[in-house]
Amino acid sequence: MILTGRFEPGDRIPAERVLAVELGVSRSRLREAIKQLSLLGMLVSRQGGGTYVTSMDEVQPLRTALAPLAPLTAGKAGYWRDIMELRKSLDADAAAFAAERADMADKARIKAACDACSSAFLSESVDMDAAPTRLPLAKLDARFHMSIARASHNVVLYQIMTGLEGLLESSISDSLDTLYRLPDVPRELDLQHRRIFDAILAGRGDEARAAAISHLVFVEDQLAAIEAASARQRRSTQAFDHLKTMQEARP
Amino acid sequence: MILTGRFEPGDRIPAERVLAVELGVSRSRLREAIKQLSLLGMLVSRQGGGTYVTSMDEVQPLRTALAPLAPLTAGKAGYWRDIMELRKSLDADAAAFAAERADMADKARIKAACDACSSAFLSESVDMDAAPTRLPLAKLDARFHMSIARASHNVVLYQIMTGLEGLLESSISDSLDTLYRLPDVPRELDLQHRRIFDAILAGRGDEARAAAISHLVFVEDQLAAIEAASARQRRSTQAFDHLKTMQEARP
DNA sequence: CTGTTTATATTGGTATGACCATTTATGCAT
DNA sequence: ATGCATAAATGGTCATACCAATATAAACAG
């Protein structure tokens, strides 16, 4: 029905009880179908409010479809390395395409996201936990990259990068939080962001690509260092526990 | 429960009526949850048989999750161009990583897929519709690229490429079928495949990357030509119909 | 007449019980 | 032990009722 145009994005579909009799099925069966479409992000239900057709422009099937799978990857070491490995290519493409195709609205969005990152990154050092309304730094950073992906005018690329972002976040949210609290890292990240943004603004695709790659390499290295440190910490703790157990066992 | 290891891949989970009381929810609610996990490919139900946990090794969440969404992309022109644009990067990465990391089993799989393509491509010209058991050429071609993706040892890359393959197929299956029936195209495709395979076998990453890119560019060009031709055909047919209508209207 | 508050109706979320179709297990006769 | 018919188990569907959140309509105060 959505495909045939009976329901436009944003429309509210008939109530379950109504649609069920219209389709000649029970409400249970209809609900199971709606659940599936909701999982794909095509429908969204609000209790008491109704069920609405998602705007296809902003449907993010990858993200929504992958979300329930995230726990599977939480534990896996190396999973985030796979993601970052891909992002080096995808972000590079996105930056290059954005440099070639971004219109004024795109550039404005990128600038806004970049500025938001700057102010957050640079003010973080002075007033630590200031406004609770402010988004987490990781979210702002992700938003900047997503604005570039959107400016690439490649919907598949945009959706995949959105999905990967969600996966990465659920995979190593702790390390991501740590990343922005390292000394001098926010300043460096902001510099790299500006370099990418300037290249896109100037329409220099190759330069944007190179800047994106070096940015991702930097982030990857930092994350690797954080992971290694936390692993070292774990081993140390375990060793200490072991030692304590031995001492207690010998009173 | 799957994550905590209570249910191993291949196990049969308790009956709905049993599991529902164990979890303290109604059977309807449990069924909706099972439907979602089934959509993700983690569970598979057989009426009368039971519900089983899918082997996580071969779970292809993207493909299964995106399948219902495919019709949305069928009509959109330019959608396949977005996909191909990405594949140029992803296939290049996959080939390069495969050249660096493929073990003997990987190489054997790639060789098998490549040989299957060769025999199918080259025999097609002599005996058209020979064995009905033989897979469509597009499937064989896709399998070759997937074997490379798997050899990259990057599970995220593998899943994304699998998903994109399914999307591309459902997006322009007609044009894909036409592609392998063009004169001299199968021979050229096979040559390019062999070039990629040889580079991977020899462990030359850069060469594999370059071969993959030029291969994708070739395919993209051919598909563009096919699409353009079919569009021309459509316009011509419409014009003819219009003409006929005018003539019939003036008896 | 207007804006606010309250009451009612609508709607999604859940629970329960029943029945059907298919598969699997059981038991009987050979 | 084997083969077949019957019974049990299991997923698929339907119908009904009730709960919770929301939206709409009615009532009310200004």
Side-chain angles (χ1 to χ4, degrees):
Chain A
M1 289 169 143
I2 297 177
L3 293 178
T4 57
R6 169 169 169 185
F7 299 136
E8 295 287 322
D11 283 359
R12 189 175 75 176
I13 71 176
E16 292 181 352
R17 293 165 179 80
V18 179
L19 196 55
V21 301
E22 179 181 333
L23 295 177
V25 298
S26 73
R27 199 184 150 203
S28 324
R29 183 75 189 86
L30 177 65
R31 275 185 59 78
E32 289 183 357
I34 290 179
K35 258 282 161 59
Q36 298 191 46
L37 291 181
S38 300
L39 192 70
L40 292 176
M42 298 181 64
L43 294 177
V44 54
S45 300
R46 291 200 322 256
Q47 184 174 204
T51 302
Y52 293 80
V53 179
T54 310
S55 301
M56 291 313 292
D57 303 335
E58 50 196 65
V59 65
Q60 298 173 0
L62 284 173
R63 169 148 208 165
T64 49
L66 258 51
L69 231 37
L72 286 174
T73 72
K76 312 276 188 200
Y79 202 89
W80 69 268
R81 288 178 180 277
D82 284 359
I83 298 177
M84 289 302 292
E85 195 168 66
L86 274 192
R87 280 196 58 179
K88 274 187 282 191
S89 284
L90 296 178
D91 271 283
D93 276 351
F97 294 149
E100 300 168 2
R101 306 170 185 168
D103 55 28
M104 296 220 304
D106 292 322
K107 290 175 179 174
R109 269 190 295 269
I110 299 176
K111 175 171 167 49
C114 191
D115 289 345
C117 276
S118 292
S119 59
F121 282 1
L122 304 183
S123 73
E124 183 74 1
S125 50
V126 273
D127 56 316
M128 271 308 259
D129 40 7
T133 72
R134 200 168 52 196
L135 287 170
L137 297 183
K139 275 275 186 295
L140 288 173
D141 194 352
R143 191 167 291 187
F144 170 68
H145 287 104
M146 287 310 120
S147 69
I148 294 178
R150 182 171 173 184
S152 76
H153 289 203
N154 183 324
V155 292
V156 183
L157 175 59
Y158 177 68
Q159 291 183 356
I160 288 183
M161 283 185 61
T162 308
L164 284 185
E165 217 294 308
L167 264 186
L168 188 66
E169 187 184 349
S170 65
S171 178
I172 50 162
S173 58
D174 293 343
S175 298
L176 276 180
D177 288 343
T178 308
L179 175 66
Y180 301 99
R181 279 172 176 69
L182 256 49
D184 295 331
V185 165
R187 188 193 337 277
E188 178 61 28
L189 288 178
D190 188 56
L191 271 176
Q192 297 174 355
H193 280 184
R194 285 248 106 86
R195 217 166 297 160
I196 300 174
F197 172 57
D198 290 340
I200 292 177
L201 206 65
R204 289 193 286 270
D206 291 338
E207 187 178 326
R209 177 183 297 275
I213 290 181
S214 69
H215 173 54
L216 266 292
V217 168
F218 175 77
V219 173
E220 193 176 16
D221 288 347
Q222 294 295 325
L223 285 178
I226 293 173
E227 290 282 304
S230 84
R232 205 158 33 236
Q233 170 98 22
R234 254 197 314 279
R235 285 200 306 275
S236 154
T237 307
Q238 285 174 355
F240 179 72
D241 287 348
H242 186 231
L243 199 68
K244 199 169 63 176
T245 307
M246 282 176 57
Q247 288 177 339
E248 288 172 350
R250 174 170 33 113
Chain B
M1 289 168 137
I2 296 177
L3 294 178
T4 56
R6 168 168 170 186
F7 299 137
E8 294 289 321
D11 283 359
R12 189 176 76 179
I13 70 176
E16 293 180 350
R17 293 166 178 81
V18 179
L19 195 54
V21 301
E22 179 181 331
L23 295 177
V25 298
S26 73
R27 199 184 150 202
S28 328
R29 184 73 187 87
L30 176 65
R31 275 185 58 77
E32 290 182 357
I34 290 180
K35 260 280 161 60
Q36 298 191 46
L37 291 182
S38 300
L39 192 70
L40 291 177
M42 298 181 66
L43 294 178
V44 54
S45 299
R46 291 199 324 255
Q47 183 174 202
T51 302
Y52 294 80
V53 178
T54 311
S55 300
M56 291 313 290
D57 302 335
E58 48 196 66
V59 66
Q60 297 176 358
L62 282 175
R63 169 146 210 167
T64 49
L66 258 51
L69 224 44
L72 287 175
T73 72
K76 312 277 187 199
Y79 203 88
W80 69 269
R81 289 179 178 278
D82 285 358
I83 298 177
M84 289 302 293
E85 194 168 67
L86 273 192
R87 280 195 58 180
K88 274 187 283 193
S89 284
L90 296 179
D91 270 282
D93 276 351
F97 294 150
E100 299 169 2
R101 304 168 186 168
D103 54 28
M104 297 221 302
D106 292 323
K107 289 175 179 174
R109 269 191 294 269
I110 299 175
K111 175 172 168 46
C114 190
D115 290 345
C117 277
S118 293
S119 58
F121 284 1
L122 304 183
S123 74
E124 183 74 4
S125 49
V126 272
D127 56 320
M128 270 310 260
D129 38 7
T133 72
R134 201 169 51 197
L135 287 170
L137 297 182
K139 274 276 187 297
L140 288 173
D141 194 352
R143 190 166 294 186
F144 170 68
H145 287 104
M146 286 311 120
S147 69
I148 296 178
R150 181 171 173 186
S152 75
H153 289 204
N154 183 324
V155 293
V156 183
L157 175 59
Y158 177 69
Q159 291 184 355
I160 287 183
M161 283 186 62
T162 307
L164 283 186
E165 216 294 308
L167 266 185
L168 187 67
E169 186 183 349
S170 64
S171 178
I172 51 163
S173 59
D174 294 342
S175 299
L176 275 179
D177 289 341
T178 308
L179 175 65
Y180 300 99
R181 278 170 178 71
L182 257 48
D184 295 332
V185 165
R187 190 194 336 276
E188 178 60 29
L189 288 178
D190 187 56
L191 272 176
Q192 296 175 355
H193 280 184
R194 285 247 107 85
R195 218 166 297 159
I196 300 174
F197 173 57
D198 290 341
I200 292 177
L201 206 65
R204 289 194 286 270
D206 291 338
E207 189 179 323
R209 176 184 297 275
I213 291 179
S214 68
H215 173 54
L216 266 293
V217 168
F218 175 76
V219 173
E220 192 176 18
D221 288 347
Q222 294 293 325
L223 285 177
I226 293 173
E227 290 282 305
S230 85
R232 206 156 36 230
Q233 170 97 22
R234 255 198 312 279
R235 284 200 306 273
S236 155
T237 306
Q238 285 174 357
F240 178 73
D241 287 348
H242 186 230
L243 199 66
K244 200 169 62 174
T245 306
M246 281 177 59
Q247 289 177 339
E248 287 172 350
R250 174 168 34 113

